[in-house]
Amino acid sequence: MKNRIFFFPLETSSRDYPYKKRLSDAIYKNGDIHIFARPWVLSYLCLFVRDVNWIGQNVNHKFRFSGKKLSQYIKSKNGKIFYFDEEGGFYYPSELAHEVIRHRYESLSIEDIDYVFSWGICQHTIVSEMGFNSVCLGHPRFDPIQRSKLDKNKDKVLLLTNFSLILSKKTFQSEFDDKYFPARRTSTLEDISQLFKFVSENNDKVIQIRVHPSEDLDLYKMMFKSLKNVKI
C-alpha cells in the first residue's frame, strides 16, 4: 500500500504547532510521512511531490514563474487540501461577519479546496453559501471550556482587541483592495471609540486588555498608563 503524505504548514509555530502535532498523532498510520515546515518550504516541495494531503491554510500563494496558485499544483498532482482557517471566527455585528469572511474566501477556488473546517455555525453558514464543502467542528487549536460560575470574577473584565488597521506598527493598506480598506478603517475607528467609552464607564472594574499580536503593545501601554484599573 502506498504511503500517505501529509504536509503541515507552520505559519506561527506557537499557534500552529501544538494542535497540528496532536492532529498528526491522532491520524497517523504506520508508513505515513508527516512533514512540518514553513508554508513556503512546503509550497515548493508541492511542485515535485504527488498525492500530498495539505493540512492548514496558505494555499493561495501564487508562484511568480508560472502565475499559478499553490492549490492548483496540489490538485494537479492528485493532492487534497484540508483547509483550517487560522484567522478567527467571531465578528459582530453579523453584517461584518459576512463582509470579512466572504472577502477572505472569495480568492480561494471552490474546486481546489476539499474541506473547510469552520470555527462555528456563522462561519460554516457563510462559507457553505459560497459553495465550499464546510465541516463545522469548532477548531482543534482550542480545548473545550470548563465552565464555572460566571459571577466568580464579576469585578474583572477581559477585552480581546484587534484594531490592527489603526493601532499596529505596520500598515495593512497593501493587503486590502482600495474599496475594502477605507470601509474597514472607518469601522475600526468607530470600534476604538467604543473601547474608550467602555473603559470610561467602568472605572470601578479591573479591565484586562489582551492585545492582538499584530497591534502595538507599547502604544496600548502608553494610552492607558494613567488608568490604574486597566491592565495590558
Side-chain angles (χ1 to χ4, degrees), residues 46-65:
C46 286
L47 298 177
F48 309 101
V49 180
R50 295 186 58 83
D51 303 314
V52 166
N53 293 286
W54 184 275
I55 311 293
Q57 50 178 23
N58 310 107
V59 294
N60 215 29
H61 168 72
K62 185 178 289 185
F63 293 93
R64 291 183 180 179
F65 64 85

Side-chain angles (χ1 to χ4, degrees), residues 174-187:
S174 61
E175 300 182 20
F176 298 96
D177 57 58
D178 292 339
K179 179 180 178 181
Y180 185 75
F181 181 77
R184 288 291 294 117
R185 182 175 55 192
T186 298
S187 64

Side-chain angles (χ1 to χ4, degrees), residues 52-167:
V52 166
N53 293 286
W54 184 275
I55 311 293
Q57 50 178 23
N58 310 107
V59 294
N60 215 29
H61 168 72
K62 185 178 289 185
F63 293 93
R64 291 183 180 179
F65 64 85
S66 67
K68 292 176 62 176
K69 292 182 179 180
L70 170 61
S71 59
Q72 294 175 294
Y73 280 103
I74 295 175
K75 298 302 292 185
S76 69
K77 294 180 178 294
N78 200 40
K80 290 186 178 296
I81 297 174
F82 301 90
Y83 192 90
F84 287 86
D85 192 328
E86 292 285 0
E87 303 305 328
F90 178 80
Y91 298 94
Y92 182 85
S94 59
E95 292 80 8
L96 179 60
H98 280 76
E99 180 184 1
V100 172
I101 294 174
R102 285 184 177 276
H103 185 268
R104 200 160 68 222
Y105 278 85
E106 62 187 7
S107 60
L108 295 174
S109 172
I110 296 173
E111 293 77 19
D112 293 345
I113 309 297
D114 291 277
Y115 293 95
V116 173
F117 290 92
S118 300
W119 292 65
I121 193 64
C122 180
Q123 183 191 36
H124 169 68
T125 300
I126 297 170
V127 171
S128 296
E129 289 174 350
M130 296 181 71
F132 290 94
N133 186 12
S134 175
V135 181
C136 184
L137 293 176
H139 196 282
R141 176 174 144 205
F142 297 107
D143 295 322
I145 294 175
Q146 300 298 321
R147 294 195 177 276
S148 58
K149 291 184 178 180
L150 297 181
D151 63 348
K152 185 176 181 180
N153 292 312
K154 61 182 180 181
D155 293 327
K156 292 184 178 180
V157 178
L158 174 64
L159 300 178
L160 281 66
T161 63
N162 186 354
F163 305 125
S164 302
L165 295 190
I166 305 297
L167 301 182

Side-chain angles (χ1 to χ4, degrees), residues 162-170 172 188 212-215:
N162 186 354
F163 305 125
S164 302
L165 295 190
I166 305 297
L167 301 182
S168 174
K169 290 182 179 179
K170 64 172 286 188
F172 287 85
T188 299
H212 189 274
S214 62
E215 293 180 287

